[in-house]
Amino acid sequence: MKPTQTKSWSAIAEYFHQIKDQKIVDLFHQQRLNNFSFDFNGIYFDFSKHRWDEKMLSLFDNLATEMKLSEAILQMFSGKIINHTEQRAVLHTALRQQNDIPVYVGKQNIIPQIKKTNQKIKKFVDKVVSNQWKGITGKPVTDIVNIGIGGSDLGPKMAVEALHDYRNHLKLHFLSNIDPFQLDNIMSEINLETTLFIVVSKSFSTQETLTNAQNIQQIYIDKYGKHAIARHFATVSTQVQKAEEFGIHPDNIFPMWDWVGGRFSLWSPAGISIPLAIGYDNFDRLLQGAYEMDKHFQTSRFNRNLPVIAAFLTVLYNNFYQFETETYIPYTEKLKFLPDYLQQLLMESNGKYIDKENNKVQWQTGNIVWGNTGTNAQHSFFQLLHQGTKIIPVHFIAEKHNKNTSFANNHRILLSNMIAQSEALMKGEKNEVPYKNFEGNRPSTTILLDEITPQTLGQLIAFYEHKTFVEAWLWQINAFDQFGVELGKKLAKNVLSDLNNNSISNHDPSTTQLIRRIKA
Ligand code: F6P
């Protein structure tokens, strides 16, 4: 199936030419806001400040129907092998399922093993949080270091930061980069006697994670002997045997499954630093929130379906308006890692030029995702959003209440800025002086959480996961593999061997020169 060859795609293209130059402000009629805004369990979504109307939405609805999106959703939730390149099911949704309805991978119902693993996590977390877990010298844990990268870092780090108000006494650190600067810094902040390291690696083969973990293990072995490892290391991986060989005690190994993609894994044991930071019950509420969004995604008709609508907008801008990027601006420091997390989620999933039939696509796929917190971003790149030659759709995300601040007025200033930015981008302002003129008509989505709670955060993340999936489906690409990261990894091995040995293997002149300079 090629999206561009569907009847609905042609209909969208035709209608697009009629409406593309219309001003968003002129599209507001009595019902528009009502049609394009939604309240969902403590989150308000406003899709009205966009360069579309009800008819365009209904044409996209037709596209999704013609492309059998409902079947695709059903296939994902029911464990069909939709990651066809790796022959895997995609079941991050099963991790947060709140009932016992069986979900099969092959012939096996995976719900019991998820429940059993969650019990194991709960027990482990309770022991650490209640100070019963003791380090090698008998002291309780004060610090947790999550060693992992990509999906084994970004999701948990984002959630732990976002749920700051729910944090317990444990101090969390995230060690991801192979840059020793990060390792040195973390090592200077922690006390070996009271720190627990969690090695999170789905594949247990990621160079950065394993090297960092080995470095730290060696420090323990040198100082306290091998038996210290069981008291200071736990791991999460699909590769249980490799983890054991690495020296991790079997009791401290939490399973992962190949039906959970790294960037979709914060609900799995890979997200274990989240319950460690906020307690298991709050982690459970995060899962419940995601489940609420899952149900909404599975059961709502497309023109009332939040992730589907958000994905329609991305396809409209990417493939028709040809806007190549979208920016995510959380107006809350709590979500400062959200743009990083979304970059992996959206770009590692949808940055692909081969379609499901193994042909090179003849249409644009995954767009470029970036962002930073407001109001900081207003004082850096917002100039380009307002007066640049490129049009960049924005997602504004904020929380309405910040109960824990002693500076409520500052919070109001923060929100006033966000609202004003979306208004300014849309309305613009005429000015005789050309460089003071604002053309406006620049689109944005606003997502207003009543409060960032485990539940609303779970809903928000699941919303973005499903948005990613719908886009991939409409572009007919596989959102769940990531072969594009492999070539760089392979070549890095060659370069490292060149750096370590006397001779240099065959490269282009530029690469050879770089290697020479580093060796010199
Ligand atoms: O290199 C990309 C990647 O495989 C991501 O997809 C993944 O999230 C990250 O590396 C870490 O992988 P792992 O959990 O297997 O160490």
Side-chain angles (χ1 to χ4, degrees):
M1 196 166 22
K2 297 198 187 317
T4 49
Q5 287 178 10
T6 59
K7 277 196 189 134
S8 320
W9 190 278
S10 308
I12 292 170
E14 199 175 303
Y15 188 56
F16 166 72
H17 286 290
Q18 287 177 41
I19 68 152
K20 68 180 180 14
D21 298 322
Q22 282 191 14
K23 298 267 176 244
I24 304 169
V25 276
D26 297 337
L27 293 170
F28 274 92
H29 52 81
Q30 245 185 349
Q31 282 306 310
R32 181 178 171 89
L33 183 61
N34 202 21
N35 293 341
F36 286 122
S37 64
F38 303 85
D39 271 301
F40 184 80
N41 295 337
I43 312 185
Y44 175 66
F45 291 83
D46 181 353
F47 300 109
S48 68
K49 287 193 178 92
H50 281 288
R51 291 170 67 166
W52 72 346
D53 61 6
E54 287 78 359
K55 178 163 177 197
M56 187 56 101
L57 175 58
S58 79
L59 293 175
F60 267 96
D61 193 332
N62 295 346
L63 176 69
T65 306
E66 192 176 345
M67 295 193 67
K68 301 189 170 38
L69 176 62
S70 299
E71 280 175 34
I73 295 172
L74 195 64
Q75 283 180 356
M76 176 168 76
F77 278 81
S78 62
K80 294 280 168 321
I81 306 287
I82 60 169
N83 174 359
H84 66 279
T85 54
E86 297 179 303
Q87 282 296 298
R88 289 175 184 169
V90 175
L91 279 169
H92 46 281
T93 52
L95 296 164
R96 55 226 191 187
Q97 189 178 292
Q98 300 291 307
N99 54 44
D100 289 327
I101 296 174
V103 176
Y104 290 95
V105 172
K107 289 201 171 105
Q108 201 189 5
N109 174 13
I110 57 169
I111 298 299
Q113 45 176 316
I114 295 172
K115 297 252 146 97
K116 194 170 145 209
T117 304
N118 283 350
Q119 281 311 313
K120 186 173 172 182
I121 291 178
K122 182 174 167 14
K123 220 169 127 192
F124 171 78
V125 166
D126 288 349
K127 196 168 170 187
V128 176
V129 175
S130 64
N131 291 334
Q132 287 167 52
W133 182 290
K134 301 281 194 292
I136 190 70
T137 58
K139 294 182 182 161
V141 175
T142 56
D143 291 62
I144 305 286
V145 181
N146 185 92
I147 312 176
I149 196 164
S152 301
D153 167 61
L154 293 166
K157 186 166 70 182
M158 178 269 292
V160 165
E161 188 70 21
L163 297 172
H164 178 270
D165 294 348
Y166 295 82
R167 296 275 297 274
N168 54 32
H169 63 285
L170 293 173
K171 196 156 176 238
L172 268 285
H173 310 260
F174 288 86
L175 175 57
S176 52
N177 207 331
I178 191 62
D179 181 350
F181 181 74
Q182 206 184 25
L183 177 58
D184 285 329
N185 272 341
I186 290 176
M187 294 313 279
S188 73
E189 285 169 7
I190 55 113
N191 175 351
L192 287 181
E193 292 175 62
T194 59
T195 302
L196 190 54
F197 293 84
I198 320 275
V199 185
V200 184
S201 180
K202 181 181 168 187
S203 61
F204 219 78
S205 65
T206 302
Q207 185 189 41
E208 294 90 332
T209 304
L210 293 191
T211 308
N212 279 328
Q214 256 154 1
N215 292 150
I216 300 166
Q217 267 200 338
Q218 200 53 53
I219 295 173
Y220 274 95
I221 292 171
D222 292 347
K223 190 150 184 199
Y224 301 107
K226 262 191 159 176
H227 58 294
I229 300 306
R231 307 284 281 271
H232 290 274
F233 279 82
T235 194
V236 181
S237 185
T238 55
Q239 304 300 315
V240 173
Q241 199 179 331
K242 279 196 198 166
E244 277 181 34
E245 282 161 20
F246 192 81
I248 314 264
H249 194 278
D251 287 351
N252 305 345
I253 298 177
F254 296 90
M256 259 282 267
W257 303 280
D258 68 6
W259 40 262
V260 187
R263 53 195 172 274
F264 297 86
S265 68
L266 69 87
W267 326 98
S268 78
I272 197 164
S273 51
I274 308 170
L276 281 166
I278 62 172
Y280 190 84
D281 290 348
N282 282 322
F283 178 65
D284 205 31
R285 288 183 192 110
L286 184 84
L287 302 183
Q288 284 166 26
Y291 175 68
E292 292 303 324
M293 185 54 74
D294 291 345
K295 279 197 301 190
H296 165 82
F297 178 54
Q298 282 180 291
T299 56
S300 307
R301 52 186 213 268
F302 297 147
N303 65 356
R304 309 294 297 168
N305 193 317
L306 299 161
V308 173
I309 293 173
F312 285 169
L313 282 164
T314 291
V315 175
L316 174 67
Y317 290 133
N318 189 39
N319 298 78
F320 295 90
Y321 284 98
Q322 294 174 5
F323 303 157
E324 292 208 326
T325 86
E326 56 195 25
T327 186
Y328 291 83
I329 318 287
Y331 273 69
T332 159
E333 286 293 317
K334 292 178 192 169
L335 289 176
K336 70 177 176 196
F337 296 126
L338 184 70
D340 291 355
Y341 163 79
L342 290 175
Q343 283 189 321
Q344 188 200 13
L345 179 66
L346 285 151
M347 296 207 279
E348 198 174 72
S349 298
N350 292 345
K352 318 229 162 114
Y353 56 68
I354 295 297
D355 72 11
K356 286 176 191 286
E357 288 164 354
N358 272 343
N359 296 315
K360 187 155 183 192
V361 294
Q362 302 298 313
W363 52 89
Q364 283 289 319
T365 65
N367 46 2
I368 301 158
V369 173
W370 55 289
N372 201 350
T373 51
T375 60
N376 295 346
Q378 290 175 205
H379 301 272
S380 63
F381 56 76
F382 267 46
Q383 165 65 38
L384 187 146
L385 300 190
H386 287 285
Q387 287 188 321
T389 53
K390 294 172 179 61
I391 303 223
I392 298 163
V394 186
H395 269 223
F396 290 107
I397 306 134
E399 67 173 343
K400 191 163 128 188
H401 304 292
N402 181 349
K403 284 194 186 142
N404 290 327
T405 183
S406 334
F407 306 100
N409 191 44
N410 296 24
H411 188 66
R412 264 193 303 279
I413 297 174
L414 176 74
L415 295 184
S416 68
N417 270 281
M418 180 186 78
I419 295 168
Q421 288 297 330
S422 76
E423 189 180 26
L425 285 164
M426 175 177 72
K427 276 169 81 176
E429 193 173 70
K430 280 211 168 48
N431 196 305
E432 307 271 292
V433 185
Y435 54 81
K436 289 187 176 171
N437 190 56
F438 292 82
E439 284 177 354
N441 217 21
R442 290 163 188 240
S444 65
T445 297
T446 301
I447 301 177
L448 193 58
L449 288 78
D450 282 349
E451 237 184 292
I452 298 176
T453 63
Q455 193 123 13
T456 56
L457 184 70
Q459 290 175 181
L460 182 72
I461 303 169
F463 160 78
Y464 281 122
E465 286 182 344
H466 296 320
K467 170 184 184 290
T468 307
F469 169 73
V470 175
E471 288 167 18
W473 182 258
L474 296 178
W475 290 322
Q476 285 294 291
I477 52 175
N478 178 8
F480 302 108
D481 63 11
Q482 56 283 321
F483 291 101
V485 300
E486 295 305 326
L487 177 60
K489 288 184 191 173
K490 190 170 84 183
L491 297 194
K493 284 199 181 125
N494 298 345
V495 174
L496 183 61
S497 130
D498 288 343
L499 291 177
N500 288 336
N501 293 312
N502 289 333
S503 59
I504 297 179
S505 57
N506 209 9
H507 301 274
D508 61 90
S510 159
T511 308
T512 306
Q513 181 63 3
L514 287 168
I515 295 170
R516 276 210 193 106
R517 280 186 172 247
I518 288 170
K519 287 175 83 144

